Amino acid sequence: MRLLVSIILSMTAVLQLSAQSLTGKLIDETQQPMPYANVVLLSLPDSAFVAGTISDESGTFSFPKSSKAQLVCISSIGYKTLYKSCVGTDLGIITLSLDTQELGEVIVKGNLPKTRLKNGALTTNIQHSVLSDIGSANDVLAKVPGIQGKDGDFTVFGKGEPVFYINGRMVRDNAELERLHSKDIKSVDVITNPGAQYDATVKAVVLIKTLRPVGEGLGFNVRTSHMYGKHYFMLNQVDLNYRHEGLDIIGSLFYSGGKDGTNIRLDEQAFLDTPWTLHSEASTVARRKNYKARLGVNYLFNERHSIGVLYDYVCYTTKEPHYLMNSQIRQEGTAFDEWTGHNRLSNRYPYHLVNAYYAGNIGKLSVNFNTDVRRGKTENQQTTLEDSENQGDRIVSTQSDCDNGLFAGKLVLEHPLWKGNLSLGSEYTNTYQKNHFKNEQGILDDTDNEVKENTASAFLQYNATLGKFTVGAGIRYEHNAFDYYEDGEKKTGQSKTYDNLFPSASVAFASGKYNIDLSYTRKTQRPSYSQLDGNMSYVNRYTYLSGNPLLKPVTTSDVTMVASFHFLQFIASYQHMGDDIVYIIRPLEESPYITHTTYENFKKMDKITLMLSASPTIGCWNLNYSAGIIKQIFELAHRGEMKKMNRPMFYASLFNTFSLPKDIKLTLDAVYMGKGNIQNMMLGENKYIDVSISKKFLKSKALQVKLECLDVFDWKRNDMTLFGMQHVLHETDSWTDMRRAVLTVRYNFNSSKGKYRGTGAGEAEKARL
């Protein structure tokens, strides 16, 4: 806190020395910033033009003070034009109102690219595009350039899993993306190299901005989806919202449940004094149920101040009553044993989360404060019955329980300064995780361990626009104290303290249709709590799994260039990772014939990423095509020599959407990932094709029906080879029940969106829990 106070005092001193200028900040009716609005200074009485500019990402605009300027004109598409007298040098917070005129049959044509580079982010406009009626936010994100994946499981190309925000509020559970309708989304920003204002563990950020709410009263959104494949799965949700003047009450209920199946074939080779091979084939049918409930209250006192509180309850349950594995082990080509394993697994993961926030403006100073409290637990039970031909039958029962919790607070201040904005903030998180593991038969050791972690951070970020250039620089300080306990006793060898500085810098150039941004960041990746868990998991009598409490954080230096021209976007990045965390396989110390799969730090790894995407529109046909390459530079010791793992991976996606008469949309999507190396793995090629058709009904277009066929040709496979020091593990023809027909029906009534503006705190720690 001393550091934060010093930063605030320093900022105040600088502000007092800043040059006088005419400034203001634009927001909409929900207190969201209004970027890229036109602001024009006029003189009276002739309304002659004096100067013009546009508002930046935070809604702020500024002019050199001019005595001739007596009137300011502010306009933005979809909002009423506003005229305001120039009194003093600070116009304060200015609210733009929606222009609610209803137009008749109007066709709007323009050449604004759907995806463009803006302030270091690839921004995809969803409103008025074919993606606005495609379904949920999940469906939108799957078609945004730079993003890979679907159904809440997304990565930013070459960067890894991103952090999602909706209107500045952190998405705590990616299932929330499925609950957000695409028609409510205005734009999606993909930040490939986030700066100091984000947690040092965040490698990529996706900002989702929704359309401004209209109307008051009660609104609801009902959706049901039914998935038919080899097994049946269903999803139901109801979102409620009541708004009256400044009061906003939101509620949500969500349920999904059903079955999915998986088949896996494994071949493991161990090159020891006595070479041996293990072949296994497994199949399982899992029954999954997910429950989610949300209740929130938000109140806007006026356009400058709002508060709110949000409560979430989430519970995931999984049962696998029919996990069957057949295995054979051979030594030097001679049969040693053959057995059948019957596994019964049961998992339950409930948690509670409360978020409270305040967002407001004091003069030119923007204040945003969030606090989060999270409590959860996991309950895992597994019973394995092994019928062996030669080594005797065995029953192994394990139970693993985990209690975890988090308290976090985050404060962010922002103020215009000179030709840009200065932002600073502080964040504190306190987390714990208690693990209890028992094995009734004594084959595995019982354990009782606990992790306690405290992280305090502060950041300072400044961005300014100088003609056609935008420059930015930031610094983030983080203090992290990690304590590890076994049976209530603190282990000094595993307990560590880290003090780190994470700098960032960027420069962007914009000239007409050309835009280019170059940025540098230094980041870290702390091991997840599951990676730190030393409990041993039982797969079969020759295969154990565990985490590693001795893992160190990963440090990453990242240089990224993003460029755009018309409908073309290009990303190039270079990453250097120190102490990278790698999934490794080695002999168990007590018995070399048992393989122990765990995590270890490797000294270094380098990665180069290139991606080119195009998103033009040709008549009723919207294209979104991407192609890219990921190449790593990495080697590890394997069978007495250094093995290079440098084969590049090629990626291509072809997303096609056709807008037809009578509110009908067709989509045809194809994705291909080529064979290549990721860390110490060789991944096989993977591909799939999805098709869908949707139509709106009723005069209000409130009813939408969508029919999809996912993985039409049943091509999805997960082939992988994992290399260890003396082991090779082949996972071949791994298949999951993904080919499905999906019928979705959605109905919206007076669907006014919530005004909740909490952004969350301690998000990196929530993900690790």
Side-chain angles (χ1 to χ4, degrees):
M1 290 305 294
R2 290 182 179 177
L3 176 61
L4 178 60
V5 172
S6 299
I7 294 173
I8 295 174
L9 293 175
S10 299
M11 186 193 77
T12 304
V14 172
L15 294 177
Q16 292 173 347
L17 297 176
S18 62
Q20 292 294 310
S21 61
L22 182 64
T23 63
K25 182 173 182 178
L26 305 180
I27 62 173
D28 62 15
E29 294 168 324
T30 66
Q31 214 179 24
Q32 293 283 347
M34 283 289 298
Y36 315 113
N38 295 314
V39 186
V40 178
L41 287 180
L42 305 173
S43 64
L44 292 177
D46 56 356
S47 297
F49 176 86
V50 176
T53 188
I54 61 173
S55 57
D56 63 17
E57 188 71 26
S58 66
T60 302
F61 64 88
S62 63
F63 294 94
K65 181 59 179 173
S66 172
S67 59
K68 295 181 180 180
Q70 298 172 300
L71 188 69
V72 62
C73 175
I74 304 169
S75 62
S76 182
I77 296 177
Y79 293 84
K80 295 178 180 178
T81 299
L82 177 68
Y83 292 89
K84 187 176 179 67
S85 299
C86 297
V87 179
T89 60
D90 183 8
L91 298 180
I93 305 295
I94 302 172
T95 303
L96 297 186
S97 301
L98 280 169
D99 189 348
T100 57
Q101 297 184 58
E102 292 188 3
L103 302 179
E105 293 294 327
V106 177
I107 299 176
V108 180
K109 294 183 178 180
N111 57 5
L112 181 67
K114 191 182 64 174
T115 299
R116 63 190 188 279
L117 177 62
K118 184 171 66 178
N119 289 344
L122 280 174
T123 297
T124 301
N125 295 315
I126 308 302
Q127 185 184 15
H128 305 312
S129 79
V130 294
L131 297 181
S132 63
D133 291 322
I134 201 167
S136 68
N138 270 333
D139 299 311
V140 170
L141 293 170
K143 298 176 183 292
V144 169
I147 297 180
Q148 297 172 274
K150 61 192 311 180
D151 299 330
D153 185 14
F154 295 103
T155 59
V156 170
F157 190 71
K159 300 291 186 174
E161 185 177 353
V163 175
F164 292 94
Y165 288 83
I166 298 178
N167 292 338
R169 177 181 57 81
M170 170 67 74
V171 175
R172 301 165 180 84
D173 184 340
N174 281 6
E176 187 175 347
L177 301 173
E178 186 62 35
R179 300 198 293 266
L180 177 61
H181 197 294
S182 57
K183 74 178 185 63
D184 297 331
I185 301 175
K186 179 181 180 181
S187 64
V188 176
D189 293 355
V190 180
I191 303 175
T192 57
N193 210 8
Q197 64 267 47
Y198 297 100
D199 190 284
T201 62
V202 175
K203 303 297 191 302
V205 174
V206 176
L207 306 177
I208 301 173
K209 299 176 184 178
T210 65
L211 295 171
R212 279 65 180 177
V214 179
E216 293 197 349
L218 179 66
F220 63 83
N221 182 326
V222 181
R223 190 266 301 263
T224 181
S225 292
H226 302 268
M227 291 158 251
Y228 303 88
K230 188 173 182 179
H231 302 281
Y232 171 72
F233 202 88
M234 68 177 298
L235 181 154
N236 296 303
Q237 77 173 75
V238 178
D239 296 322
L240 300 173
N241 178 251
Y242 175 77
R243 176 179 295 111
H244 179 68
E245 296 180 349
L247 178 66
D248 203 30
I249 301 174
I250 59 176
S252 177
L253 294 174
F254 178 93
Y255 168 80
S256 64
K259 298 180 180 179
D260 57 52
T262 301
N263 296 328
I264 302 174
R265 185 164 65 237
L266 298 172
D267 288 284
E268 185 177 338
Q269 298 172 280
F271 301 94
L272 306 174
D273 294 338
T274 303
W276 57 265
T277 60
L278 174 63
H279 174 77
S280 300
E281 294 186 8
S283 63
T284 181
V285 175
R287 298 174 180 172
R288 308 185 192 277
K289 294 181 180 180
N290 303 327
Y291 306 87
K292 301 179 179 68
R294 166 172 289 183
L295 181 63
V297 179
N298 186 82
Y299 190 77
L300 274 67
F301 293 96
N302 51 49
E303 62 185 27
R304 301 176 68 90
H305 304 281
S306 66
I307 60 172
V309 62
L310 189 69
Y311 167 75
D312 282 322
Y313 171 74
V314 178
C315 183
Y316 297 97
T317 63
T318 302
K319 290 186 178 180
E320 298 183 27
H322 306 296
Y323 191 141
L324 181 65
M325 176 178 284
N326 294 311
S327 304
Q328 303 89 35
I329 187 169
R330 305 177 70 87
Q331 288 184 340
E332 295 184 314
T334 303
F336 177 75
D337 194 12
E338 181 175 345
W339 72 93
T340 300
H342 304 269
N343 291 4
R344 294 194 300 270
L345 297 91
S346 176
N347 307 315
R348 185 171 180 267
Y349 312 110
Y351 73 83
H352 304 263
L353 176 67
V354 177
N355 168 260
Y357 84 94
Y358 163 77
N361 295 275
I362 305 171
K364 296 182 182 180
L365 181 67
S366 297
V367 181
N368 192 297
F369 174 74
N370 276 260
T371 183
D372 282 276
V373 178
R374 184 188 192 276
R375 292 292 182 268
K377 65 187 305 182
T378 62
E379 302 167 352
N380 302 305
Q381 294 181 342
Q382 176 177 331
T383 300
T384 302
L385 292 81
E386 293 181 349
D387 300 325
S388 174
E389 296 260 339
N390 303 323
Q391 301 299 315
D393 298 342
R394 174 186 284 185
I395 297 178
V396 182
S397 300
T398 61
Q399 180 171 341
S400 177
D401 297 321
C402 171
D403 296 313
N404 57 68
L406 170 145
F407 170 78
K410 183 178 182 180
L411 174 67
V412 178
L413 307 175
E414 184 174 338
H415 199 289
L417 174 63
W418 191 43
K419 296 185 178 182
N421 281 285
L422 179 70
S423 58
L424 57 90
S426 180
E427 186 171 3
Y428 172 76
T429 60
N430 174 275
T431 60
Y432 73 87
Q433 179 162 299
K434 299 178 180 179
N435 298 293
H436 309 278
F437 177 83
K438 294 182 180 180
N439 172 221
E440 181 180 339
Q441 292 77 21
I443 298 173
L444 304 174
D445 294 333
D446 293 348
T447 59
D448 187 346
N449 59 59
E450 181 178 3
V451 170
K452 296 180 180 179
E453 191 165 358
N454 291 278
T455 302
S457 61
F459 77 85
L460 183 67
Q461 178 81 31
Y462 181 72
N463 296 289
T465 300
L466 306 172
K468 294 183 179 181
F469 289 89
T470 299
V471 296
I475 189 73
R476 186 180 183 94
Y477 164 76
E478 291 192 356
H479 170 81
N480 176 260
F482 174 86
D483 295 324
Y484 182 81
Y485 299 81
E486 286 186 2
D487 298 319
E489 181 182 351
K490 183 177 178 179
K491 299 296 182 180
T492 57
Q494 290 92 326
S495 301
K496 304 176 180 69
T497 299
Y498 300 95
D499 290 279
N500 299 105
L501 288 174
F502 300 99
S504 62
S506 65
V507 58
F509 175 78
S511 177
K513 298 175 182 179
Y514 298 89
N515 295 274
I516 187 168
D517 180 274
L518 182 65
S519 62
Y520 165 80
T521 60
R522 182 174 173 84
K523 296 286 186 178
T524 188
Q525 175 191 336
R526 299 187 185 94
S528 69
Y529 287 100
S530 62
Q531 291 175 327
L532 293 168
D533 186 1
N535 293 335
M536 198 73 73
S537 297
Y538 186 88
V539 179
N540 58 54
R541 60 183 62 194
Y542 296 103
T543 307
Y544 295 172
L545 307 175
S546 80
N548 180 1
L550 298 176
L551 288 175
K552 297 182 292 185
V554 183
T555 57
T556 302
S557 295
D558 188 312
V559 178
T560 296
M561 184 192 73
V562 183
S564 67
F565 173 71
H566 285 286
F567 54 78
L568 297 174
Q569 303 87 39
F570 177 72
I571 300 176
S573 72
Y574 167 76
Q575 294 172 285
H576 174 77
M577 288 153 282
D579 293 322
D580 198 28
I581 297 175
V582 174
Y583 201 45
I584 196 70
I585 183 170
R586 60 171 65 252
L588 191 68
E589 292 183 5
E590 297 81 8
S591 175
Y593 298 105
I594 298 177
T595 60
H596 178 203
T597 306
T598 183
Y599 299 91
E600 292 185 7
N601 291 107
F602 274 67
K603 184 177 181 180
K604 67 176 182 177
M605 180 183 298
D606 298 282
K607 184 167 65 175
I608 299 171
T609 302
L610 302 173
M611 190 199 77
L612 178 66
S613 63
S615 51
T617 298
I618 305 173
C620 68
W621 179 21
N622 176 263
L623 301 79
N624 192 328
Y625 291 177
S626 297
I629 293 177
I630 301 176
K631 177 180 174 59
Q632 69 176 23
I633 303 172
F634 176 68
E635 61 182 15
L636 79 160
H638 175 67
R639 300 184 63 186
E641 61 183 23
M642 299 305 294
K643 181 176 179 62
K644 296 185 181 295
M645 310 288 290
N646 300 339
R647 177 167 175 166
M649 295 182 65
F650 174 75
Y651 168 83
S653 62
L654 308 174
F655 299 138
N656 305 273
T657 304
F658 301 90
S659 300
L660 305 179
K662 300 186 182 298
D663 292 308
I664 296 175
K665 278 190 171 57
L666 294 175
T667 67
L668 173 62
D669 302 336
V671 174
Y672 173 83
M673 178 65 82
K675 186 176 181 180
N677 289 124
I678 294 292
Q679 292 188 330
N680 60 329
M681 294 179 287
M682 172 66 76
L683 301 184
E685 71 174 25
N686 204 348
K687 56 190 176 184
Y688 66 86
I689 292 178
D690 296 343
V691 297
S692 75
I693 181 171
S694 65
K695 177 174 171 53
K696 291 182 178 180
F697 296 90
L698 304 181
K699 185 177 181 179
S700 63
K701 311 294 179 66
L703 178 66
Q704 184 182 48
V705 178
K706 182 178 181 181
L707 180 63
E708 303 170 86
C709 184
L710 306 179
D711 192 14
V712 176
F713 300 104
D714 197 23
W715 282 344
K716 272 196 171 182
R717 293 294 185 272
N718 295 315
D719 295 341
M720 178 272 291
T721 302
L722 176 68
F723 293 90
M725 295 183 66
Q726 300 295 333
H727 292 74
V728 178
L729 175 63
H730 303 275
E731 179 182 335
T732 57
D733 200 28
S734 177
W735 171 89
T736 301
D737 179 24
M738 296 302 297
R739 182 166 64 172
R740 296 176 177 177
V742 183
L743 176 65
T744 301
V745 179
R746 186 189 294 264
Y747 180 75
N748 296 275
F749 172 77
N750 189 28
S751 54
S752 54
K753 278 71 67 180
K755 298 179 182 179
Y756 195 83
R757 291 178 51 78
T759 59
E763 301 305 331
E765 296 306 307
K766 294 175 193 172
R768 294 175 69 213
L769 289 172

